[in-house]
Every structure is written in C-alpha cells, then in structure tokens.
Amino acid sequence: MENMHIKAERDYMSTILEKVTNGEFLIPEFQRDFVWEKRQMIALFDSIIKGFPIGSIILWAPQNDEFDHINNIGGVTIEKCSNPRFYVLDGRQRLTTLLSVLSEKGDNCDSMFVDLNDFSILGKRNKDKKLLKLSSAFDSYAIVDYIESIKEQGFDDAETKVYADRAKKLNKILMSYEIGYITVNGGGIDDAVEIFSRLNSQGTSISPDFMIQALTFNSKTHFRFGDEIQEILDELDKYNFSCLKRDIILKCVANYTEKAFIDVKTEDIIKINDLQSVMQDVKRCVKEAVKFLYKECLVIDIKLLPYTYQLVMLALFFKYNKEVDILQKEKLKKWFFYTSYINYFTNTSLSNIRSDIEKFRLFSEGNVLDPIDYNSTSIYVQRKGQDEIKLGSVSSCCFVLSSLSRLEASSKAKLIPFIIPKTGKKKVVNTIWCTSLSQRNQIDKCFKSKFEIQSEEWYAKFSLNCDLMTSYRAGNLDDFFKKRCLLLTKNESGFLQHVLDPNL
C-alpha cells in the first residue's frame, strides 16, 4: 500500500450529489443492485432531518484499473465526465436513495414527504397532515412556489407564516447538511477492499464474494459472481436451505482449486480459470449435496445440519460424481452420521481435517473404499430426558435427525416441533418432531382426546406406544417421561447402529 493515500473530508450533501450526477463520483457496475426498502429510505431522511450522521461514503481512485459504471442512478441519468475522479466503494444504497428522492427526475421524487407539523418522514400522502415533498424541500425555487400555494389555500397570515418558516427551515437543513467521505487514492482493488474493511463507518466489512465480483466482473457477459451465489441460494429454498451463509458457497467454489477448501483464500478463487463455467458446476454440486442431505439423511432444514463442512465435502463428492449409487449412498450416510456423532469437526485438528479432506477426495474419485478412517463404529448414546433441544448444537441436531428417520421423506417436508401438552418447555423427552402440519394435528388430537387411539405401528413413528399413551392419559407423567426417555435412547441407538453397520 505504499502508493495509496487516504484522506477524510466533508462536503455539503448537495455538492456530493452534484458530483455523482455529473460523473465525478461513479458507481461501478460490480456493485450490488439497489436493494433498500421504503422503511430504510425513511430512516435515512429521518436521520438527516434530525442532524444525525449517516456514515461516511468511501471513494476510491484506482492506480490503474478502470471499471464499467452505472449510467442511471435512482432514475437520474449520469452525465459523461472527461475526468472522473472516484468510484463509490461504499455508499451506493445511500446515494441512490438521496438522488431518487431529492432529484426532480428521481424515481421516488413524488413519494417521500415531510410532515411540517413535526418534521416526520412519510412514505405516502396523508390528507390529514401538512405535507411537503422532500424533492421540493431540497429546491429553493420550489419552496417559494410552495409558500405561494399556502397563501392560495386560504390560511390566515399567522398560519401562512408558520408553515412558510418551517418550509424554509427544512430547506436550510437539507442544503446545509454535510456528509463525510473518505478518499482512497491509488492501489488495486485488493488494497481498496482492505482499506474499506478497516474504515467502514458502519462497522461491516466487505464480503469476499463482493471482492471476487469486483475482480471478475465481465462487462460483455455481465457475469456477476455475487448473483451466481444468490441464484444457488434461491434454488435451495425448496429444501429449506436458502439461509445457508454465502461463505459456505465460497468454500464449495474452493473445491475447484488445487488446495483443501479450508486453506483457500480469496485470491485463489479469483485465479480459477473460466470462473463463470465453474459456477454453473458449483450450482449443480451444491444442489445435489443439499438434495442428498434432505432426502437421505432427513436434514429437511438447514438448522438440522450439524456441520456446514459436511455440505462442502458432499459438494466435493458431486464434483466427481453426477449421481450416487446404492453403495456410495450407504457410505456417505455412514460418513455423515459418524462425523456428526463423534463431533468430528469440533474435536479434530486442522491437520487431520486437511488429511481427511484429501482422503474424501480420493473416495470421491473412486480411488479408496471409504471416505474416512473409522476408529470406531460403536458409539454410545444416552439421552437425558430433561435436556433442552437447541438446534444450534450438534447433539440436538443428531437427536432430531434420528427421530425423523422413522418418518417417510416428503418432497415438501418442514421441520415442525410438537410439545406434548402439560409437560413444559421443548426438551428431549416431551418433543415430537413432525415433517408436516397434518402429522402435528393428528398427534395433537391423540394427546388431547382420550378416544384418539392409533396403532402401535403409527405410534412407533413418533417414538410412542400404547403403554406410553396409557400412562399419559392416566396423568402419570413421571412414568410417561421415564419410559419415553428409555424408548428414545433405544431408538436412537438402533438407528445409529444400522447406519454405521447396515449389514447387521
């Protein structure tokens, strides 16, 4: 960063918006799209009216690079500038909001108002309030016209003066409001991103996928790395996995480098040849990995995934395999539950994980028989009935997955807990896990009606039986809890033994 110069400055909001409009401050195309909602726009202007800071804009003048830029911001056409000074690295959402509302040509110039009675910001008209458009308040000439319109509405001189003074005050607030900005001169985008991470007044750092998008953006194909990740997440919604963190997708992309994904850095991903084509394959692999977890392991919600690394490694398997045969399916299920129950990714050193990733890759390529070296396939399960269910813990995820294994997989399964009535909070012994509302409603009827009797086979799906239901209906909850805890432990142990050694 020897050739970089950083300077903090301030200027009037009107001056900064003018520089954006005349092309001195450009928004590069690799920036994410405008995504703010009306409530966020209202909050921004509320802060401005009250004189609160709205955070510094970060501007960057690269040493050599040039980037395609956005020619229309919030409905305002950006003029061509023969000597643009800076790219907006942080502040796109705020600047777009300001231009779209305050400019007479902005997309939202007619839809944001100030109530002159209390200076509150409104996102729609209200006949009962004295409203002034923010775009008019920002224009000194429009203020004069507004004052004339007040006189024509029949207000007496005193009322006219009150609202005229308030309109002038609002104009003064907007025209005198200053915004801080930080200029970063020189360096490449890697340097600028590091500066961004350290200086951002909001306290948030630039995400790695944003950095990759900046460096790989293609103005001809309009390939946006961040958009590709979002497409993957959108496709995972039907598996209840759309909340998967974006950096997990990045780790799946890291499978296409020469390193183990835990060692891959952002620059390694940038160097991948034909990243656009690779992302199409990543999309396939991630989807197949999630589908496997959903259908074969009953991970019907991302909250049930013990370790996100398991998804990354399954995506690695599907990099080398378009589909999975019966034997591979058994081996992958065994690997999944083994690593979950022994808390593998918590208790294992990075060097061992690195070695086992390589072994998993060899298994995926068909060069070794097993995806991991099994030190033991005898895992002892003992549940305490009063343990609370916390899906953030590996232990709880394992328990719920073993419970769901007794149910048939559904293409529209949802994770739905049922708390047995009169038994308190969500704990191991008093929670029944369902995959549909119809299941939950049927179980609810069983516990609320003495006459809703089901078969032993039906009860067994939910780790119940007729003996347990008899104790519950007789009000003998201690006996019910004791028996159900034993049944849950027996069922979970049997499930785990079957998965780890399906030949038994």
Side-chain angles (χ1 to χ4, degrees), residues 21-273:
T21 304
N22 67 25
E24 289 185 63
F25 296 168
L26 298 171
I27 295 180
E29 280 205 30
F30 61 70
Q31 282 269 24
R32 64 175 179 160
D33 293 334
F34 179 67
V35 295
W36 269 19
E37 299 176 355
K38 182 65 72 71
R39 60 180 176 78
Q40 293 168 295
M41 299 168 70
I42 290 174
L44 180 73
F45 281 104
D46 183 63
S47 294
I48 291 172
I49 298 301
K50 292 176 179 176
F52 298 158
I54 61 171
S56 295
I57 306 299
I58 298 182
L59 304 169
W60 171 50
Q63 186 171 346
N64 299 310
D65 300 320
E66 290 187 9
F67 300 92
D68 290 339
H69 60 272
I70 297 170
N71 295 314
N72 186 290
I73 302 174
V76 179
T77 300
I78 305 305
E79 299 174 11
K80 290 184 178 181
C81 180
S82 58
N83 186 30
R85 295 178 57 198
F86 293 100
Y87 292 104
V88 177
L89 198 61
D90 178 42
R92 192 267 166 88
Q93 305 297 314
R94 285 166 286 167
L95 291 174
T96 301
T97 295
L98 293 174
L99 275 180
S100 73
V101 172
L102 298 178
S103 173
E104 62 179 7
K105 296 180 180 179
D107 291 335
N108 295 288
C109 68
D110 295 322
S111 60
M112 296 286 284
F113 305 86
V114 177
D115 182 355
L116 290 181
N117 290 308
D118 58 7
F119 279 14
S120 60
I121 309 297
L122 301 176
K124 60 181 179 180
R125 293 185 181 276
N126 189 317
K127 295 180 180 180
D128 299 326
K129 297 182 182 295
K130 194 64 181 174
L131 303 182
L132 173 62
K133 287 194 302 184
L134 273 166
S135 57
S136 297
F138 192 60
D139 185 337
S140 298
Y141 293 104
I143 288 292
V144 174
D145 293 338
Y146 177 77
I147 293 172
E148 290 298 321
S149 71
I150 293 176
K151 295 177 181 178
E152 295 174 359
Q153 293 178 34
F155 288 103
D156 59 34
D157 291 343
E159 283 184 302
T160 299
K161 185 176 185 309
V162 167
Y163 287 114
D165 287 345
R166 290 177 181 173
K168 291 176 183 177
K169 179 181 178 181
L170 181 60
N171 175 257
K172 184 177 180 181
I173 289 173
L174 293 175
M175 298 305 294
S176 63
Y177 187 81
E178 293 184 350
I179 297 177
Y181 61 95
I182 297 169
T183 59
V184 180
N185 284 276
I189 186 124
D190 290 309
D191 300 319
V193 166
E194 184 174 348
I195 294 296
F196 173 96
S197 300
R198 298 186 184 191
L199 297 183
N200 185 9
S201 60
Q202 304 279 332
T204 56
S205 61
I206 192 168
S207 63
D209 63 280
F210 177 93
M211 177 178 169
I212 295 169
Q213 177 163 297
L215 291 170
T216 60
F217 178 75
N218 188 315
S219 60
K220 294 181 179 180
T221 64
H222 284 266
F223 167 70
R224 294 174 185 261
F225 186 80
D227 291 350
E228 296 295 317
I229 290 181
Q230 190 56 52
E231 280 187 26
I232 293 173
L233 295 175
D234 290 343
E235 289 196 19
L236 298 183
D237 185 56
K238 62 182 176 182
Y239 301 109
N240 307 314
F241 264 71
S242 60
C243 292
L244 184 68
K245 291 184 179 180
R246 299 173 74 90
D247 66 325
I248 302 305
I249 306 292
L250 277 183
K251 285 183 169 58
C252 294
V253 180
N255 286 332
Y256 289 77
T257 68
E258 299 300 319
K259 302 178 181 178
F261 66 84
I262 58 173
D263 297 321
V264 172
K265 298 180 180 179
T266 304
E267 52 264 32
D268 296 319
I269 293 178
I270 294 168
K271 294 176 183 177
I272 294 176
N273 290 327

